[in-house]
Amino acid sequence: MAQNVTKDKFRSVFKTIDKDVLRWFPGHMGKGLKQMQHKLRSVDCIVEVHDARIPFSGRNDDFKRTISGIKPHVLVLNKVDLIDRKFIPYIVERLKGDYERILFTNCKNQHCQGVKKLFPLAQELIRDSNRFNRQEAEDYNLMIIGVPNVGKSSLINALRARYLHKGKATAVGANPGITRSVLERIKMCDNPLFYMLDTPGILTPNIVDIETGLKLAVCATIQDHLVGETVIADYLLFWLNKHNHFEYVDYFKMSQPCDNVLEVLAHICKVYNKFFKVRTPLNDYVFRPNLDAAAHIFLKAFRDVSLGRFMLDEEMV
């Protein structure tokens, strides 16, 4: 059914929205970046966590200029369970020149191999590096960095559960911006003695490329209400159609793929009975589709992999 649809039925480009919508750099982020720079003297290794669904376009290049470069650096691509694993070799090949080591993690899996490898790998890199003023220190200090809502706090809690058998040390949430400041050291492991500095998610102040910003929004690294769930859902629909991912047709019981987000959302309203009453000028009531609720359902279906496992940068491999 969907396979017979030709690409010329769909948009070739996504209509540009106001760049200002994608500027989200709260005060705590600017403050956090300065705190991170001041803490570098006491740090042995940088652990950069990012979302595996946007391994190229969504990373913060400012980290390379302001944080990394003088310390061993490990890139952790979290939420690997949300992508098609066939992309992993291509991701590694493209990024291996920029990072000393790349790990893939799923912090929800207690047996995740990436989580198991992080401390031994960090210990190896630190031993082979110049620790400067920390040359004689017996403990290891890691700083964890990354854009919002990529799983930094989840990784910390997973490591503590594995090595210390303790509960959550830092707040975890579905919305970006939970961690507000550079915290004191969090004990992670007794033997060897590892500590972690948690940091707030940092986005670049200006997202120059609109499509990159929208990919960040689809992956919930920008708060939905700042862009608008309908706009994000429209971009997601555009991306799915562009890459011939028509799984949404069967999932939402549609007859065929569609390039009009309002039609798709109206259909979802019918399937999920999402309507609200509106009073007319004649004091009658009519039912209108709740498009915001439908957009939320559409995005949730993508984010919980009900529509499939996708890597949004697949055209870049």
Side-chain angles (χ1 to χ4, degrees), residues 51 53-54 79 148-149 214-222 232 302-303 312:
D51 193 318
R53 292 171 294 180
I54 41 175
K79 305 184 182 182
N149 204 30
L214 287 166
K215 287 180 181 180
L216 289 165
V218 168
C219 294
T221 64
I222 297 174
I232 303 171
F302 169 82
R303 290 168 179 169
L312 291 177

Side-chain angles (χ1 to χ4, degrees), residues 297-313:
I297 292 170
F298 189 47
L299 292 175
K300 183 177 183 299
F302 169 82
R303 290 168 179 169
D304 66 15
V305 301
S306 294
L307 300 184
R309 289 174 166 79
F310 304 120
M311 200 268 285
L312 291 177
D313 286 339

Side-chain angles (χ1 to χ4, degrees), residues 27 44 116 156 159 162 165 265 267 274 283 299-300 310 316:
D44 300 306
K116 290 180 181 180
I156 288 175
L159 288 166
R162 174 171 178 77
H165 307 290
L265 297 181
H267 175 83
K274 295 296 182 181
N283 283 331
L299 292 175
K300 183 177 183 299
F310 304 120
M316 301 173 70

Side-chain angles (χ1 to χ4, degrees), residues 7 211 238-245 312 314-315:
K7 279 194 173 185
E211 192 155 354
F238 162 79
W239 186 91
L240 291 170
N241 288 334
K242 178 181 178 181
H243 294 88
N244 294 320
H245 294 304
L312 291 177
E314 66 177 59
E315 74 278 4

Side-chain angles (χ1 to χ4, degrees), residues 210-271:
I210 290 296
E211 192 155 354
T212 295
L214 287 166
K215 287 180 181 180
L216 289 165
V218 168
C219 294
T221 64
I222 297 174
Q223 291 184 359
D224 287 342
H225 74 273
L226 294 172
V227 179
E229 287 183 307
T230 302
V231 173
I232 303 171
D234 190 19
Y235 175 75
L236 176 58
L237 178 66
F238 162 79
W239 186 91
L240 291 170
N241 288 334
K242 178 181 178 181
H243 294 88
N244 294 320
H245 294 304
F246 302 120
E247 292 84 351
Y248 69 89
V249 175
D250 290 335
Y251 184 80
F252 290 117
K253 301 174 181 165
M254 298 170 60
S255 60
Q256 62 182 358
C258 178
D259 203 31
N260 187 321
V261 72
L262 296 181
E263 291 182 17
V264 172
L265 297 181
H267 175 83
I268 292 174
C269 287
K270 291 180 182 178
V271 173

Side-chain angles (χ1 to χ4, degrees), residues 69-82:
I70 59 175
K71 303 286 183 177
H73 193 139
V74 179
L75 175 63
V76 174
L77 291 173
N78 192 35
K79 305 184 182 182
V80 68
D81 53 308
L82 304 184

